[in-house]
Every structure is written in C-alpha cells, then in structure tokens.
Amino acid sequence: MIDVIDNKYFYLHNKEVSYLFDLLPNQQLEHLYYGEDLGELSGEDLDYISLHPNKASGTVKYSKKIKNFTLADRMQEFPTYGTSDFREGAISIEYQDEYLYPDFKYDHFKITTGKRRSLDFPASYGKDSENLTIYLIDSERQLELQLSYSIFENLSAIVRKATIINRSKRDIKITNLQSAVLDLPSDNYDFLQLSGAWIKERHIVRRPLTQGIAKAESLRGASSHQENPFIALVDKDVTNDNGNIYASNLIYSGNFISQVEVDEWGQSRLMTGINPATFTWKLSQNQVFSTPEAVLFYSNQGFNGLMKQTHNFVKKHIIDQKWQKQDRPIVVNNWEATYFDFNEAKLLNLAKEAKNLGIECFVLDDGWFGTRNSDNSSLGNWTVDKKKFPRGLDHFSTQVHKLGMKFGLWFEPEMVSADTDLYKFHPDWVVRHPYGRFSVGRSQYVLDFANPEVINNIYNQMEKVIEKAHVDYIKWDMNRNITEAYSPYLKKIGLGQGEFFHRYIQGVYKLYAKLLTRFPNLLIEGCASGGGRFDLGILFYSPQIWPSDDSDAVERLDIMSGTLLAYPLSTFSNHVSQVPNDQVKRITSLKFRQNLDCFGPLGYELDLNKLSLEEKIQIKDEIKWYKKNRKLLVNGNFDQLLKFDPSQNTYAWSVSDNNSQIIGFYRKLARPNETLDQYLPLKHLKFQQQYLINQTQIVSGKVLQSFGLREPYQFNASNPNTAQVSGDFQSYLYQIKAIDRKN
Ligand code: DGJ
C-alpha cells in the first residue's frame, strides 16, 4: 500500500514492512524509516518521527534562506555530495569541466500498480506491485530526476531506481548515478558481503562497521567471482532466526558498487549502483538515463527471515514464471567427463547411460565448434566441428532427442579467439585500446558488445545452430574479464569510452532478449568460469546459474551457504562429479555428493560409463527419489538450521512446504567421542501434528519442536552397528512428513 499524507509524507507499507520518507524544508527528500510494519500512522506519529533539531555547530549550512538548516547529518533518499553534506552522494553531473551540484526539489508524484516483465533490460516485475514515482526538478540547471519505488505483496523488498532527464539545451555528463540509497540512524552493524575467487565464490565475510567506507565492488566488466553485488548490514548478535538485517542487491551484471559509509555521528549510508569509477554518460537535450534497479530487504528474523525475503522476491519477481512452474531437467554435462576429448560415439554412450539412469537432458559443453581442441581456439566461429560430428550436430541431437532427452549446448557468445575469421576480418569488433600492448585471458579476446553489429553477427550464428540442432537448453559461459576497456565502435560514433562498460552489459542483455524472443522455450543456464556473474541481472534471463567451477561437494557447502543468503535454491545448479575431485583432489563418497547436490537443480558431470554397477544403482535410486521430491528440493522454503561460522564443521539445512521437510546434515571432519544426543532445531512444525521421520519413526510436532531432530549417530569407536555416519565428510538426509494418525 502506498499512502501520500498531506502531500508531504510518502508511506509504502504492507504486512512485512514500512518505508517512510518526507520533504525537507528545502524540498528534497528526507528518509525517515525502513523496518517492521508500523501500520496506520497518525499525524502525531508522523510529527514525532520527523522531528529533527538542526545540527548547528560545526556544520556548513545549506543556504542563507533556510535558517540553520544543513544536510550534513540528514538521512536522505538521494543525496548530492558537496551541498552541505560531505558524505558520498548518489548523483554527480558535470557540464564541461564543472561539477553542477544539482539541487532537485520535489515537484509531484505518480502512483501506478503492476509491473510488466520486459526482456529489454532486467528488472523486477509482478501484478501485485504498487509503484511510486517522485518527480524532482532542478529548475536552475534544467534537469529532472525521477525516483521510482515499488513494493510487493507480503515482501519487505523495496525496489528502487533513478532516472535523469536533461531538460536543458546543453550536453551534460553524468559521472555517478546510483540506484538506491538507504540512510540508517545507527552504525551498530556488521557489514556482510559474499566474496571469494574463482572456485571459491560467495563465501560469507563479516566485519564491523567503523567510521569510513566499507565497500564491495567490481571493476571487471562482470559482477565477478570476487565480490557479489549483494551486501547486508546485520545486528552484531544476529542469529539464524533473530536479529535485524538490512540488505541490498542490484539487478545488474556489470561493474557495481555496494557500499556503506559511516559518518562522524555514527549514521550509516548504504548505497548501491553502477560503479562510478568506470562510468560516464553523455546526456543531450531531452535524453533520458535510467539506472538499473536495486532491491532493499529488511528482516528482523535473522538470516532465515532474510532468506525468506530474498528467495521469495527472486522467485516471484525476477525469474521467468515459466521456469518457476516447470520442472528443471536433471542434466548430464560432459565437461568434467571428457573436457575437449570427445566424438559423437563417445558422447552418445554417455547420453545412453544417462538415459538409463533417469537423466533428462544432455548438455554438450565446450569443444563442439570450429577446431576447438583446447581453450585457445575457435571462439566466435560457431560452426560445428566436422571431425567430431561428421554427420552434423543435428544428427547427434536427434539421437539424444530419440532417447527421450533434451539437448543442451554450450556457447561463449561474448568472446573471440585469434584463429577465427571473425577476428581476422573484424579487428575493430574486439574490445581493445589503440595502444600496442593488450592483455589476454584464457587466450581469448572480448567482443565489443557495445556494437549492435557484433551482437547481430553472434545472434545470427547462434540462431542457425539452435534452430538446426533443435537445442532446448543453452549454457552461456563467459570466461574472461575486460581489460584496457575501449570500444572502437563508440569511438566511431563519437561517444565517450566512459559509456563502454554499461553499453557492453546492455549488449549482453540485448542478445539474451533476442534469443529468448526467437526461442521462448529455451532454458538458458548462466555461467562465467563458474560463478563470475551470479547476479539478479543474469537470473532475470537465466533461471539457474552454474555457481562455481568447483564441483567438490565440501567446498559447495560454503558456496551454497553464502549464495543462499541472496539467491534461492532454484538458481543454483549442482552437479555430482567424479572423485578425486578435479579441482581439489578431494575424495568424498557418492552418497555425500548426492545428498548435497540434490538441493536445487540436479546434474551429473562425470563419465557415467566408468561407474561400478553399485554406483549406477545408487544414482538410479537417487534420481527416482529426486524426481518425487523435486518440487520441494528446488522450490521449497530454505532454512539454515545451524549457526554460520567461518570454521564451520557441521552444516544442516532444510527445505519445507506445508506438510513435509527434507533435512540435509553434513559434517566435514569426524569428531571423536562426541556427545551423542545432539539435536537440530527444526522450524515450521505444528504442535498438534504427528510427523513420520524417514518412514520409520512417528513423533509429535510438540516433541520435535521442543527437542529438535536427533542428529545422526556418529561412529564412536565402539558402536559400529548403530552408527549412522562415520569417517570424514559425513552426510545424512531426513525426510519428515505430516501424517494423520488415527488412534
Ligand atoms: C568454464 C565453465 O565454468 C565450465 O563449466 C566449462 O563450461 C568451461 N568453462 C568450458 O570451457
């Protein structure tokens, strides 16, 4: 619900949350509150909340005209640096070499309902949204700023973006335009970010806020393995189920900042948007620039409360609803099974075995095109390798389809190798600075996706292959970051290179949109050397992402724990791979890998023909069970049951719906002589209900709730017959169902 009170207070609220702002004496927007729902607010309440004595001493005043008024310590919706506020601002505009210090004053507002999903640019959508746009005018500089807010049913999420329109005749340059700002009155939080590197993405990292700036960012042209756009401010004593959390995420895949600045009075300013370090944008008369959307989240119910918000938001308002409803196929991917060493016969054997085990989709990874037998060749030449597929790729895909499986194919659309005609005949289609030296990553170069001709060329090549081979599924990879950023195309058309990074990512979205318009049933899996572009921008088009090139199930425990703070299970492709694992050489049991990988969209990435009969039977059974429980495992409500800690040894999580739960329990290293009676705290139980555990034991909700779920018995030097788990890398699954028991 959005209320506008006295043309002064703007109040977005629902059962989950309230968000309130008003007009300052200078007609800018003051932030007042974001948090637990406050319900109806009286005039007295509003007076009380908005009371703010002017801070006189030691501050610069905004203007002579408004007595004692300063922005220095004001919470604001969209602050400008240098206008009596010295914190970093959300907007910077230049004209020639001058800063303009824009001064936007409230003009009017508009409220609408519903947001349509459009493939043009990733954004939240939903029939249940209410949207408020505030129009602000800077009459002296002849600029218009529109601040948009959306609120959805039963969610604490507030979606924001900013749009600027140049109403003057002169060309101006935007050097910073953030998507959202959230000023908070306290700094009593830890700054939480999801960071890491290739093969160890999105680990949870926390540090206390202190005066100054804590920042997560990317300057790589992609949201990056290193730092994710999602950040959170968490109460220092936050637990899984209690404590305040403010979080933000950006619906964007390019260079970003997500930062929190603490000022000298202990106030915190969260700000997120395009990274201004690599961004400028020219705006001529009547031109418009809009930021990507940012999402703010609030929960007072700890990490599980936050995940309820982030997961439901992504499921309902980012991911294409088609993929929310349809089952995600169980895939076999040949990458770790064959790497580049394959031919049609070898792949067909893999596909047949996969079918035999119950797998539903065969994904042909890198190496099917040009003469690509290693990673230094053929990107950009998307024609089928006749040596590997003498009868064409369509011949192979027909065999796969005949088996009753879907056919998936790998592309890396944004890249080019030096041995291709594309590179030879179009040197100006490559991102490259005119200076002599340029960097190489994985022996490949980045195509200039700011150039529409490049996108059309790649689209036409992809379209031909997809159509001919009846491709159902694409894995869209992206294996190097952008260096010496420079677009020959922008130079040619007279635009500044500061526009490159944003135009590049717009180009990526454009190609997604073209492909999905032409092939609306295509399921596209995102990937960027694993999880180098795991963000809401990509998830808008790709409902799932290959989260890491590290398929080791133990490492995945930490990657999942971090990723799941911001993104639901349905976005997370998990593949059972061989042991010793290719990335860390760790050996874990098939059971351990299966028990972990079944949470979310499941896949296999190993040579199935090399498995023993016993292992095949185990996989077959697992797949049968997974299919029965897929809805719950992919789209159930996710909860962490044990406290997060960087040196965590034991993990437990659950997925639940109204009547059932599946609980995964994992222990990295065996612990000798542990207390036997340990319990996992369970959630979502009804006191009066009876529950059946693993088809064997019946326990009442009240007992399960009070005691918890008994942890599996660990081998304890003397209990071999009763031990349920033993050795390192233990795992155990529980299935709990509500039952009717007639006495
Ligand atoms: C990086 C991806 O993350 C891998 O899964 C695989 O597709 C390779 N690229 C192929 O080159």
Side-chain angles (χ1 to χ4, degrees):
M1 187 185 291
I2 299 178
D3 298 328
V4 178
I5 307 156
D6 298 338
N7 231 359
K8 177 173 184 224
Y9 293 97
F10 299 89
Y11 186 33
L12 294 82
H13 61 119
N14 60 24
K15 277 188 273 168
E16 296 286 327
V17 86
S18 286
Y19 188 100
L20 178 68
F21 58 96
D22 71 346
L23 298 183
L24 285 165
N26 69 344
Q27 297 300 296
Q28 287 186 21
L29 303 181
E30 174 184 43
H31 179 73
L32 289 173
Y33 176 80
Y34 181 37
E36 200 175 335
D37 177 31
L38 299 175
E40 291 294 304
L41 289 173
S42 65
E44 288 88 353
D45 286 338
L46 290 166
D47 287 346
Y48 186 84
I49 295 171
S50 59
L51 186 72
H52 182 95
N54 282 323
K55 189 167 236 27
S57 44
T59 59
V60 176
K61 306 300 168 294
Y62 171 78
S63 144
K64 265 190 168 168
K65 289 189 191 144
I66 315 172
K67 203 161 175 274
N68 266 342
F69 173 69
T70 179
L71 291 169
D73 65 331
R74 286 290 184 151
M75 299 205 294
Q76 293 160 69
E77 286 295 302
F78 212 70
T80 312
Y81 154 78
T83 53
S84 77
D85 182 357
F86 293 101
R87 291 165 288 183
E88 292 206 351
I91 179 167
S92 307
I93 293 181
E94 292 174 21
Y95 169 62
Q96 293 175 344
D97 277 343
E98 279 171 32
Y99 285 111
L100 291 186
Y101 301 107
D103 226 353
F104 289 104
K105 300 200 183 317
Y106 172 75
D107 191 74
H108 66 285
F109 71 90
K110 195 158 129 192
I111 293 176
T112 57
T113 50
K115 280 184 87 187
R116 233 174 29 86
R117 182 177 161 88
S118 147
L119 290 176
D120 292 346
F121 195 83
S124 61
Y125 68 94
K127 280 193 188 125
D128 61 340
S129 84
E130 280 195 79
N131 321 303
L132 168 68
T133 306
I134 305 283
Y135 296 79
L136 300 116
I137 305 285
D138 181 332
S139 48
E140 219 178 322
R141 295 160 189 81
Q142 295 177 287
L143 299 173
E144 180 177 330
L145 174 68
Q146 298 173 4
L147 296 181
S148 315
Y149 299 79
S150 295
I151 185 166
F152 301 86
E153 266 170 25
N154 301 323
L155 281 176
S156 72
I158 300 286
V159 173
R160 294 191 50 180
K161 77 169 182 186
T163 298
I164 185 136
I165 306 167
N166 183 3
R167 301 279 182 215
S168 77
K169 291 204 170 96
R170 58 190 184 174
D171 290 349
I172 55 161
K173 195 158 81 181
I174 308 171
T175 55
N176 180 23
L177 191 66
Q178 293 297 294
S179 298
V181 178
L182 177 65
D183 275 350
L184 294 166
S186 151
D187 63 352
N188 198 14
Y189 302 106
D190 280 353
F191 180 88
L192 181 154
Q193 65 189 94
L194 303 178
S195 14
W198 176 66
I199 67 170
K200 52 171 190 178
E201 296 90 339
R202 293 174 304 285
H203 285 220
I204 297 172
V205 176
R206 264 168 82 162
R207 54 183 143 145
L209 282 181
T210 53
Q211 192 170 337
I213 292 179
K215 171 153 93 169
E217 71 173 333
S218 171
L219 293 164
R220 295 166 178 264
S223 49
S224 91
H225 299 87
Q226 285 73 11
E227 295 173 27
N228 194 267
F230 171 86
I231 56 164
L233 292 180
V234 303
D235 273 355
K236 289 180 190 294
D237 57 356
V238 66
T239 64
N240 278 341
D241 297 300
N242 286 300
N244 286 299
I245 302 182
Y246 293 93
S248 72
N249 207 343
L250 203 57
I251 309 179
Y252 192 57
S253 313
N255 290 347
F256 72 89
I257 59 166
S258 296
Q259 70 176 42
V260 177
E261 177 173 2
V262 176
D263 69 13
E264 64 262 56
W265 299 294
Q267 301 189 100
S268 302
R269 170 168 293 168
L270 185 157
M271 205 153 66
T272 183
I274 294 176
N275 197 325
T278 51
F279 172 80
T280 60
W281 198 271
K282 182 172 123 188
L283 215 59
S284 303
Q285 186 177 13
N286 288 329
Q287 282 187 333
V288 180
F289 181 84
S290 283
T291 67
E293 287 185 341
V295 201
L296 303 172
F297 298 98
Y298 169 74
S299 170
N300 57 10
Q301 287 162 32
F303 291 118
N304 286 327
L306 172 74
M307 287 192 280
K308 191 171 143 206
Q309 296 297 333
T310 55
H311 292 190
N312 284 336
F313 175 79
V314 178
K315 288 195 246 182
K316 290 188 186 147
H317 303 296
I318 294 290
I319 287 175
D320 186 346
Q321 289 311 297
K322 178 167 58 231
W323 297 115
Q324 270 311 120
K325 289 183 197 127
Q326 269 179 45
D327 282 344
R328 307 288 176 79
I330 304 170
V331 307
V332 60
N333 178 305
N334 72 308
W335 178 242
E336 288 194 21
T338 65
Y339 294 103
F340 294 104
D341 180 20
F342 59 80
N343 56 31
E344 185 173 353
K346 194 170 181 181
L347 295 181
L348 201 56
N349 273 343
L350 185 58
K352 281 183 182 156
E353 191 52 56
K355 175 67 191 175
N356 177 37
L357 299 177
I359 293 173
E360 300 157 328
C361 176
F362 184 93
V363 181
L364 171 52
D365 210 280
D366 197 353
W368 58 267
F369 51 94
T371 52
R372 186 152 164 106
N373 296 310
S374 74
D375 63 11
N376 59 19
S377 156
S378 303
L379 295 167
N381 170 13
W382 300 107
T383 53
V384 178
D385 180 347
K386 282 276 158 49
K387 274 205 185 129
K388 288 177 184 156
F389 298 97
R391 284 176 287 181
L393 190 61
D394 43 328
H395 182 266
F396 175 60
S397 76
T398 306
Q399 309 302 306
V400 172
H401 282 137
K402 272 192 191 150
L403 288 171
M405 295 169 86
K406 292 192 180 309
F407 178 61
L409 194 62
W410 181 96
F411 285 96
E412 193 175 359
E414 298 151 74
M415 300 290 153
V416 65
S417 304
D419 64 353
T420 56
D421 284 353
L422 191 75
Y423 186 81
K424 212 159 84 196
F425 296 125
H426 299 285
D428 56 332
W429 282 10
V430 177
V431 176
R432 172 159 313 158
H433 205 281
Y435 288 131
R437 189 201 58 80
F438 44 86
S439 319
V440 196
R442 214 194 188 206
S443 312
Q444 66 197 46
Y445 303 104
V446 183
L447 284 169
D448 181 5
F449 263 46
N451 181 350
E453 249 191 292
V454 174
I455 297 167
N456 283 341
N457 177 293
I458 298 298
Y459 169 76
N460 290 335
Q461 292 197 56
M462 290 176 79
E463 193 215 17
K464 242 187 240 155
V465 181
I466 297 169
E467 193 178 29
K468 189 142 191 259
H470 300 286
V471 175
D472 307 294
Y473 180 114
I474 278 185
K475 179 175 174 188
W476 177 323
D477 207 345
M478 197 280 289
N479 284 302
R480 72 156 283 187
N481 289 142
I482 297 172
T483 50
E484 293 98 18
Y486 184 96
S487 157
Y489 170 75
L490 292 183
K491 172 78 182 162
K492 197 166 83 190
I493 64 167
L495 286 179
Q497 294 298 333
E499 302 194 8
F500 168 71
F501 275 111
H502 185 59
R503 288 191 184 270
Y504 176 90
I505 216 72
Q506 281 181 324
V508 170
Y509 296 147
K510 176 95 197 144
L511 182 59
Y512 261 111
K514 276 168 88 77
L515 288 168
L516 288 172
T517 306
R518 171 73 180 81
F519 303 105
N521 293 323
L522 203 58
L523 172 54
I524 306 184
E525 179 188 37
C527 175
S529 291
R533 216 161 50 179
F534 204 115
D535 57 65
L536 296 178
I538 295 298
L539 286 172
F540 180 78
Y541 302 100
S542 287
Q544 62 194 67
I545 296 179
W546 179 234
S548 176
D549 272 348
D550 197 334
S551 60
D552 167 46
V554 176
E555 170 58 24
R556 285 280 175 112
L557 282 168
D558 289 323
I559 297 180
M560 280 179 85
S561 298
T563 308
L564 284 162
L565 284 186
Y567 309 96
L569 271 175
S570 66
T571 64
F572 201 97
S573 311
N574 260 328
H575 293 180
V576 173
S577 63
Q578 68 189 15
V579 289
N581 165 271
D582 274 3
Q583 294 80 38
V584 290
K585 293 287 170 230
R586 185 177 277 135
I587 298 178
T588 53
S589 68
L590 179 58
K591 182 169 165 228
F592 183 85
R593 283 170 276 153
Q594 299 209 124
N595 282 352
L596 184 91
D597 292 333
C598 65
F599 283 82
L602 172 67
Y604 290 81
E605 190 157 335
L606 72 175
D607 190 346
L608 300 168
N609 290 305
K610 285 195 185 141
L611 297 173
S612 67
L613 187 62
E614 259 174 27
E615 288 171 319
K616 285 184 189 170
I617 292 171
Q618 206 179 319
I619 292 182
K620 216 171 178 165
D621 288 348
E622 161 80 7
I623 288 179
K624 220 187 261 165
W625 174 83
Y626 179 82
K627 284 179 180 167
K628 271 197 221 140
N629 295 288
R630 172 161 31 196
K631 290 228 156 17
L632 188 58
L633 289 160
V634 176
N635 276 319
N637 303 314
F638 180 86
D639 286 289
Q640 283 282 6
L641 303 182
L642 296 177
K643 187 171 171 272
F644 167 77
D645 160 356
S647 56
Q648 201 165 347
N649 192 41
T650 310
Y651 298 68
W653 49 52
S654 88
V655 280
S656 57
D657 60 19
N658 283 342
N659 295 315
S660 46
Q661 294 198 29
I662 295 174
I663 285 123
F665 173 89
Y666 314 93
R667 185 180 280 125
K668 287 180 180 169
L669 298 180
R671 297 178 64 97
N673 203 3
E674 279 240 295
T675 321
L676 284 180
D677 290 318
Q678 300 200 64
Y679 295 89
L680 301 170
L682 283 190
K683 297 182 56 142
H684 313 298
L685 297 168
K686 292 181 199 109
F687 246 53
Q688 302 309 327
Q689 179 73 52
Q690 300 294 314
Y691 291 92
L692 177 64
I693 306 175
N694 283 353
Q695 312 270 18
T696 51
Q697 226 176 351
I698 295 175
V699 186
S700 67
K702 62 182 181 225
V703 166
L704 261 185
Q705 178 89 54
S706 319
F707 282 74
L709 179 67
R710 200 185 285 272
E711 280 187 12
Y713 280 122
Q714 187 180 196
F715 176 69
N716 200 14
S718 61
N719 61 348
N721 299 329
T722 48
Q724 291 166 305
V725 288
S726 62
D728 292 342
F729 315 126
Q730 305 167 2
S731 73
Y732 198 82
L733 285 193
Y734 298 87
Q735 197 153 14
I736 300 182
K737 286 198 170 132
I739 50 160
D740 281 336
R741 194 163 68 160
K742 308 206 168 46
N743 289 321

